[in-house]
Amino acid sequence: MLTIRLYGDPILRRKAAPIGAVTDELRSLADGMIEAMQVEDGVGLSAPQVGVLGRLIVATPDPEDLDSEPVPLVNPVVERAQGEWTEEEGCLSLPDVYAEVTRPETVDVRALDMDGKDMSFAANGWFARVILHEIDHLNGVLFIDHLSSAERGRLRGQLERITRRARETMEGQG
Ligand code: NI
């Protein structure tokens, strides 16, 4: 089982590199990410969150629907974004931290699928939000970066606790 890195782990602040080829190794990484995400009841996950600095994300198209199959996206890019809406978000790297984030409502996305083929599609609502949140991770950006400093101040105690846990985990791994 892949371990999800916690806030405070420096890998979450690094930029992930484009993926050159979709290989069996990448496909098994995507499968592992989906498994790790579902065990934690998440709706999206990025490769840096499992310690891999490559541009791979998995996103659940309809987080409200338990049968909605997560989609892996390689080198995802948002080509167009429209509208705006605000909703409460969380992140598996920031357990129990929730805050309202404003994001575009509709996005046009281009990516490679797990056969290495180009694909583009429009995503709305939660699917768009999850994709934007995960692409942020590929750039070392976390959802709390979108908050006002007052809002981040409100979360400071929680963030410090998670940072301590991340440090203990990293020390435990030697
Ligand atoms: Ni996240």
Side-chain angles (χ1 to χ4, degrees):
M1 178 67 78
L2 295 168
T3 306
I4 295 175
R5 306 298 185 94
L6 294 176
Y7 175 78
D9 187 320
I11 200 165
L12 296 177
R13 290 308 194 179
R14 291 179 59 194
K15 199 171 151 83
I19 288 165
V22 177
T23 58
D24 283 342
E25 196 188 351
L26 192 78
R27 279 185 279 268
S28 69
L29 174 63
D31 289 344
M33 284 167 59
I34 289 172
E35 192 188 349
M37 175 185 90
Q38 288 179 330
V39 164
E40 299 295 334
D41 290 323
V43 294
L45 193 65
S46 65
Q49 288 176 281
V50 295
V52 178
L53 283 169
R55 301 187 80 81
L56 168 67
I57 67 171
V58 296
T60 305
D62 183 356
E64 312 264 275
D65 177 1
L66 292 175
D67 293 327
S68 183
E69 288 282 337
V71 184
L73 300 173
V74 177
N75 300 336
V77 176
V78 169
E79 301 206 291
R80 205 167 63 113
Q82 277 187 303
E84 200 180 86
W85 67 306
T86 302
E87 188 51 84
E88 193 170 74
E89 268 180 45
C91 177
L92 293 179
S93 294
L94 289 142
D96 302 321
V97 176
Y98 299 95
E100 290 196 336
V101 180
T102 300
R103 296 195 189 265
E105 198 164 23
T106 305
V107 290
D108 290 339
V109 180
R110 195 161 46 82
L112 297 179
D113 67 14
M114 291 323 279
D115 296 317
K117 295 207 179 78
D118 261 310
M119 64 164 157
S120 10
F121 60 94
N124 301 299
W126 268 106
F127 192 27
R129 178 173 293 275
V130 172
I131 290 170
L132 290 162
H133 175 120
E134 302 313 330
I135 290 177
D136 271 355
H137 276 298
L138 301 182
N139 297 319
V141 174
L142 302 172
F143 81 96
I144 53 170
D145 300 342
H146 294 281
L147 307 179
S148 67
S149 52
E151 266 262 76
R152 268 202 306 278
R154 178 178 71 78
L155 300 173
R156 199 174 59 205
Q158 267 182 299
L159 298 179
E160 283 170 357
R161 272 195 297 281
I162 300 169
T163 304
R164 273 200 299 277
R165 245 176 80 189
R167 203 167 292 143
E168 282 160 17
T169 311
M170 285 185 282
E171 281 163 6
Q173 286 165 348

